[in-house]
Amino acid sequence: VQLQASGGGLVQAGDSLRLSCVASGLTSSLHVISWFRQAPGKERDFVVGINRFSGNTNYANSMKGRFTISRDNLKTTVLLQMDGLKPEDTAVHYCAAGRPVYSAYGQTRLYYYWGQGTLVTVSS
């Protein structure tokens, strides 16, 4: 299983970015792909997850409203649309594949495969 995250970059506050996570080798048991982010010196935080088959989504409360997750019809590419970016969104963003239950999407230990991360930098 491989996850390839891309789409990060340097933007100004208020701009938008779309991150992409392309997965290969997934088994049907790995039904959830989620995005996490880690700012310098901080823990890795859950952003949002999606069930590849049902399309159900689960957003961290603090991420609702500005971020939108989606998946393609082949269920192997997951997109994260980020609008209205703020300097505090600066972080390395990771995608991960696992099989957590809905209430546990935010638990990093339940994800078995991780992408390499893509850096999002938002200037003020």
Side-chain angles (χ1 to χ4, degrees), residues 66-100:
R66 296 188 297 122
F67 294 174
T68 305
I69 192 170
S70 62
R71 60 159 176 23
D72 71 338
N73 290 335
L74 294 177
K75 305 175 179 62
T76 58
T77 297
V78 171
L79 302 176
L80 179 63
Q81 178 69 35
M82 304 187 296
D83 299 317
L85 285 164
K86 304 175 181 180
E88 50 265 42
D89 294 320
T90 294
V92 178
H93 288 65
Y94 299 90
C95 58
R99 50 183 185 181

Tab-separated table of all heavy atoms in Angstrom, residues 66-100:
chain	number	residue	atom	x	y	z
A	66	ARG	N	-14.492	25.350	6.521
A	66	ARG	CA	-13.497	25.820	5.553
A	66	ARG	C	-12.912	24.704	4.717
A	66	ARG	O	-12.373	24.941	3.639
A	66	ARG	CB	-12.369	26.560	6.275
A	66	ARG	CG	-12.807	27.828	6.973
A	66	ARG	CD	-11.607	28.610	7.507
A	66	ARG	NE	-10.881	27.846	8.515
A	66	ARG	CZ	-9.583	27.527	8.427
A	66	ARG	NH1	-8.886	27.892	7.370
A	66	ARG	NH2	-8.996	26.868	9.402
A	67	PHE	N	-12.974	23.485	5.224
A	67	PHE	CA	-12.342	22.349	4.548
A	67	PHE	C	-13.425	21.388	4.041
A	67	PHE	O	-14.431	21.163	4.709
A	67	PHE	CB	-11.423	21.594	5.506
A	67	PHE	CG	-10.228	22.391	5.967
A	67	PHE	CD1	-9.379	21.874	6.926
A	67	PHE	CD2	-9.943	23.638	5.452
A	67	PHE	CE1	-8.265	22.586	7.360
A	67	PHE	CE2	-8.845	24.363	5.867
A	67	PHE	CZ	-8.000	23.838	6.839
A	68	THR	N	-13.159	20.809	2.864
A	68	THR	CA	-14.088	19.852	2.275
A	68	THR	C	-13.315	18.662	1.737
A	68	THR	O	-12.389	18.835	0.943
A	68	THR	CB	-14.896	20.484	1.134
A	68	THR	OG1	-15.561	21.657	1.594
A	68	THR	CG2	-15.930	19.492	0.604
A	69	ILE	N	-13.711	17.471	2.152
A	69	ILE	CA	-13.061	16.255	1.675
A	69	ILE	C	-13.969	15.589	0.635
A	69	ILE	O	-15.199	15.653	0.728
A	69	ILE	CB	-12.751	15.284	2.836
A	69	ILE	CG1	-11.809	14.170	2.381
A	69	ILE	CG2	-14.024	14.727	3.453
A	69	ILE	CD1	-11.276	13.314	3.540
A	70	SER	N	-13.339	14.951	-0.335
A	70	SER	CA	-14.096	14.218	-1.349
A	70	SER	C	-13.236	13.079	-1.875
A	70	SER	O	-12.035	13.031	-1.626
A	70	SER	CB	-14.514	15.144	-2.494
A	70	SER	OG	-13.374	15.679	-3.140
A	71	ARG	N	-13.884	12.187	-2.599
A	71	ARG	CA	-13.131	11.074	-3.189
A	71	ARG	C	-13.567	10.901	-4.631
A	71	ARG	O	-14.658	11.301	-5.013
A	71	ARG	CB	-13.367	9.793	-2.412
A	71	ARG	CG	-14.836	9.388	-2.406
A	71	ARG	CD	-15.072	8.028	-2.124
A	71	ARG	NE	-16.326	7.424	-1.991
A	71	ARG	CZ	-17.528	7.759	-2.442
A	71	ARG	NH1	-17.688	8.838	-3.091
A	71	ARG	NH2	-18.586	7.011	-2.250
A	72	ASP	N	-12.708	10.261	-5.426
A	72	ASP	CA	-13.065	10.045	-6.824
A	72	ASP	C	-13.887	8.764	-6.963
A	72	ASP	O	-14.060	8.016	-6.008
A	72	ASP	CB	-11.800	9.989	-7.686
A	72	ASP	CG	-11.001	8.709	-7.435
A	72	ASP	OD1	-11.157	8.092	-6.358
A	72	ASP	OD2	-10.223	8.331	-8.328
A	73	ASN	N	-14.399	8.533	-8.141
A	73	ASN	CA	-15.280	7.389	-8.358
A	73	ASN	C	-14.559	6.055	-8.184
A	73	ASN	O	-15.183	5.042	-7.870
A	73	ASN	CB	-15.909	7.461	-9.752
A	73	ASN	CG	-16.929	8.582	-9.853
A	73	ASN	OD1	-17.504	9.000	-8.850
A	73	ASN	ND2	-17.139	9.084	-11.058
A	74	LEU	N	-13.254	6.063	-8.400
A	74	LEU	CA	-12.501	4.819	-8.225
A	74	LEU	C	-12.181	4.558	-6.759
A	74	LEU	O	-11.673	3.497	-6.420
A	74	LEU	CB	-11.199	4.872	-9.041
A	74	LEU	CG	-11.355	4.896	-10.554
A	74	LEU	CD1	-9.994	5.021	-11.235
A	74	LEU	CD2	-12.072	3.643	-11.036
A	75	LYS	N	-12.455	5.571	-5.912
A	75	LYS	CA	-12.293	5.432	-4.461
A	75	LYS	C	-10.843	5.255	-4.053
A	75	LYS	O	-10.546	4.692	-2.995
A	75	LYS	CB	-13.151	4.280	-3.927
A	75	LYS	CG	-14.620	4.414	-4.296
A	75	LYS	CD	-15.401	3.203	-3.862
A	75	LYS	CE	-16.882	3.360	-4.205
A	75	LYS	NZ	-17.137	3.485	-5.639
A	76	THR	N	-9.914	5.741	-4.910
A	76	THR	CA	-8.500	5.638	-4.556
A	76	THR	C	-7.812	6.991	-4.469
A	76	THR	O	-6.645	7.055	-4.103
A	76	THR	CB	-7.761	4.764	-5.581
A	76	THR	OG1	-7.933	5.337	-6.885
A	76	THR	CG2	-8.269	3.338	-5.554
A	77	THR	N	-8.508	8.039	-4.792
A	77	THR	CA	-7.966	9.387	-4.665
A	77	THR	C	-8.889	10.199	-3.776
A	77	THR	O	-10.100	10.239	-3.991
A	77	THR	CB	-7.834	10.078	-6.027
A	77	THR	OG1	-6.910	9.347	-6.838
A	77	THR	CG2	-7.314	11.504	-5.857
A	78	VAL	N	-8.292	10.826	-2.788
A	78	VAL	CA	-9.051	11.647	-1.849
A	78	VAL	C	-8.520	13.070	-1.924
A	78	VAL	O	-7.300	13.278	-1.892
A	78	VAL	CB	-8.938	11.090	-0.418
A	78	VAL	CG1	-9.550	12.053	0.589
A	78	VAL	CG2	-9.611	9.730	-0.326
A	79	LEU	N	-9.421	14.013	-2.046
A	79	LEU	CA	-9.062	15.417	-2.163
A	79	LEU	C	-9.460	16.162	-0.902
A	79	LEU	O	-10.477	15.850	-0.280
A	79	LEU	CB	-9.763	16.039	-3.365
A	79	LEU	CG	-9.489	15.382	-4.720
A	79	LEU	CD1	-10.327	16.050	-5.800
A	79	LEU	CD2	-8.020	15.458	-5.070
A	80	LEU	N	-8.655	17.142	-0.543
A	80	LEU	CA	-8.973	18.033	0.567
A	80	LEU	C	-8.939	19.461	0.037
A	80	LEU	O	-7.871	19.987	-0.250
A	80	LEU	CB	-7.993	17.866	1.719
A	80	LEU	CG	-8.244	18.772	2.921
A	80	LEU	CD1	-9.595	18.470	3.553
A	80	LEU	CD2	-7.131	18.627	3.956
A	81	GLN	N	-10.102	20.046	-0.099
A	81	GLN	CA	-10.214	21.436	-0.515
A	81	GLN	C	-10.170	22.316	0.721
A	81	GLN	O	-10.991	22.158	1.633
A	81	GLN	CB	-11.522	21.656	-1.282
A	81	GLN	CG	-11.760	23.078	-1.707
A	81	GLN	CD	-10.800	23.543	-2.796
A	81	GLN	OE1	-10.411	22.767	-3.670
A	81	GLN	NE2	-10.402	24.804	-2.743
A	82	MET	N	-9.203	23.231	0.748
A	82	MET	CA	-9.038	24.112	1.899
A	82	MET	C	-9.243	25.544	1.434
A	82	MET	O	-8.496	26.040	0.585
A	82	MET	CB	-7.651	23.928	2.506
A	82	MET	CG	-7.343	22.493	2.913
A	82	MET	SD	-5.785	22.317	3.804
A	82	MET	CE	-4.639	22.822	2.531
A	83	ASP	N	-10.242	26.189	1.978
A	83	ASP	CA	-10.568	27.562	1.626
A	83	ASP	C	-10.359	28.492	2.819
A	83	ASP	O	-10.379	28.035	3.966
A	83	ASP	CB	-12.022	27.660	1.151
A	83	ASP	CG	-12.285	26.812	-0.082
A	83	ASP	OD1	-11.439	26.829	-0.996
A	83	ASP	OD2	-13.329	26.144	-0.141
A	84	GLY	N	-10.175	29.750	2.527
A	84	GLY	CA	-10.010	30.711	3.607
A	84	GLY	C	-8.862	30.367	4.536
A	84	GLY	O	-8.982	30.450	5.752
A	85	LEU	N	-7.728	30.012	3.958
A	85	LEU	CA	-6.602	29.567	4.775
A	85	LEU	C	-6.101	30.665	5.701
A	85	LEU	O	-6.127	31.859	5.351
A	85	LEU	CB	-5.480	29.064	3.878
A	85	LEU	CG	-5.753	27.676	3.257
A	85	LEU	CD1	-4.803	27.410	2.091
A	85	LEU	CD2	-5.615	26.597	4.308
A	86	LYS	N	-5.658	30.238	6.863
A	86	LYS	CA	-5.151	31.139	7.898
A	86	LYS	C	-3.724	30.752	8.231
A	86	LYS	O	-3.323	29.601	8.034
A	86	LYS	CB	-6.018	31.029	9.149
A	86	LYS	CG	-7.493	31.286	8.907
A	86	LYS	CD	-8.300	31.031	10.183
A	86	LYS	CE	-9.776	31.264	9.947
A	86	LYS	NZ	-10.574	31.020	11.187
A	87	PRO	N	-2.934	31.676	8.769
A	87	PRO	CA	-1.554	31.326	9.148
A	87	PRO	C	-1.491	30.122	10.093
A	87	PRO	O	-0.532	29.335	10.012
A	87	PRO	CB	-1.054	32.599	9.824
A	87	PRO	CG	-1.819	33.690	9.151
A	87	PRO	CD	-3.185	33.111	8.920
A	88	GLU	N	-2.474	29.945	10.926
A	88	GLU	CA	-2.457	28.810	11.852
A	88	GLU	C	-2.722	27.470	11.156
A	88	GLU	O	-2.638	26.418	11.782
A	88	GLU	CB	-3.475	29.007	12.983
A	88	GLU	CG	-4.868	29.378	12.537
A	88	GLU	CD	-5.100	30.883	12.565
A	88	GLU	OE1	-4.194	31.651	12.154
A	88	GLU	OE2	-6.205	31.295	12.986
A	89	ASP	N	-3.044	27.507	9.877
A	89	ASP	CA	-3.173	26.277	9.097
A	89	ASP	C	-1.822	25.771	8.596
A	89	ASP	O	-1.736	24.697	7.994
A	89	ASP	CB	-4.101	26.498	7.894
A	89	ASP	CG	-5.536	26.766	8.301
A	89	ASP	OD1	-6.022	26.109	9.243
A	89	ASP	OD2	-6.165	27.648	7.675
A	90	THR	N	-0.772	26.537	8.841
A	90	THR	CA	0.558	26.124	8.419
A	90	THR	C	0.954	24.833	9.118
A	90	THR	O	0.970	24.767	10.350
A	90	THR	CB	1.584	27.226	8.731
A	90	THR	OG1	1.284	28.376	7.922
A	90	THR	CG2	3.000	26.753	8.444
A	91	ALA	N	1.244	23.810	8.328
A	91	ALA	CA	1.560	22.491	8.874
A	91	ALA	C	1.911	21.542	7.738
A	91	ALA	O	1.600	21.822	6.572
A	91	ALA	CB	0.379	21.927	9.653
A	92	VAL	N	2.537	20.437	8.101
A	92	VAL	CA	2.667	19.329	7.163
A	92	VAL	C	1.379	18.525	7.227
A	92	VAL	O	0.928	18.154	8.316
A	92	VAL	CB	3.869	18.438	7.500
A	92	VAL	CG1	3.938	17.262	6.524
A	92	VAL	CG2	5.165	19.241	7.457
A	93	HIS	N	0.783	18.300	6.070
A	93	HIS	CA	-0.484	17.582	5.997
A	93	HIS	C	-0.228	16.166	5.494
A	93	HIS	O	0.431	15.971	4.472
A	93	HIS	CB	-1.455	18.317	5.076
A	93	HIS	CG	-1.996	19.587	5.669
A	93	HIS	ND1	-1.212	20.681	5.961
A	93	HIS	CD2	-3.253	19.921	6.050
A	93	HIS	CE1	-1.963	21.635	6.492
A	93	HIS	NE2	-3.207	21.209	6.559
A	94	TYR	N	-0.752	15.198	6.217
A	94	TYR	CA	-0.558	13.787	5.904
A	94	TYR	C	-1.902	13.131	5.586
A	94	TYR	O	-2.903	13.431	6.241
A	94	TYR	CB	0.047	13.042	7.085
A	94	TYR	CG	1.399	13.526	7.534
A	94	TYR	CD1	1.519	14.523	8.501
A	94	TYR	CD2	2.571	12.977	7.004
A	94	TYR	CE1	2.757	14.966	8.928
A	94	TYR	CE2	3.812	13.414	7.426
A	94	TYR	CZ	3.900	14.405	8.395
A	94	TYR	OH	5.128	14.842	8.804
A	95	CYS	N	-1.893	12.208	4.645
A	95	CYS	CA	-3.057	11.343	4.482
A	95	CYS	C	-2.697	9.956	5.009
A	95	CYS	O	-1.526	9.568	5.009
A	95	CYS	CB	-3.532	11.288	3.033
A	95	CYS	SG	-2.334	10.717	1.819
A	96	ALA	N	-3.708	9.255	5.446
A	96	ALA	CA	-3.495	7.956	6.065
A	96	ALA	C	-4.668	7.044	5.759
A	96	ALA	O	-5.805	7.514	5.605
A	96	ALA	CB	-3.324	8.107	7.571
A	97	ALA	N	-4.389	5.757	5.691
A	97	ALA	CA	-5.423	4.749	5.417
A	97	ALA	C	-5.537	3.790	6.588
A	97	ALA	O	-4.520	3.346	7.143
A	97	ALA	CB	-5.095	3.982	4.143
A	98	GLY	N	-6.758	3.496	6.972
A	98	GLY	CA	-6.973	2.583	8.094
A	98	GLY	C	-8.396	2.082	8.107
A	98	GLY	O	-9.129	2.224	7.130
A	99	ARG	N	-8.785	1.518	9.229
A	99	ARG	CA	-10.151	0.997	9.351
A	99	ARG	C	-10.758	1.322	10.710
A	99	ARG	O	-11.315	0.435	11.369
A	99	ARG	CB	-10.151	-0.514	9.103
A	99	ARG	CG	-9.124	-1.291	9.893
A	99	ARG	CD	-9.156	-2.748	9.508
A	99	ARG	NE	-8.247	-3.536	10.341
A	99	ARG	CZ	-8.083	-4.840	10.186
A	99	ARG	NH1	-8.736	-5.496	9.249
A	99	ARG	NH2	-7.258	-5.477	10.977
A	100	PRO	N	-10.673	2.595	11.104
A	100	PRO	CA	-11.290	2.965	12.381
A	100	PRO	C	-12.807	3.004	12.264
A	100	PRO	O	-13.353	3.207	11.181
A	100	PRO	CB	-10.725	4.369	12.623
A	100	PRO	CG	-10.528	4.923	11.254
A	100	PRO	CD	-10.075	3.750	10.422
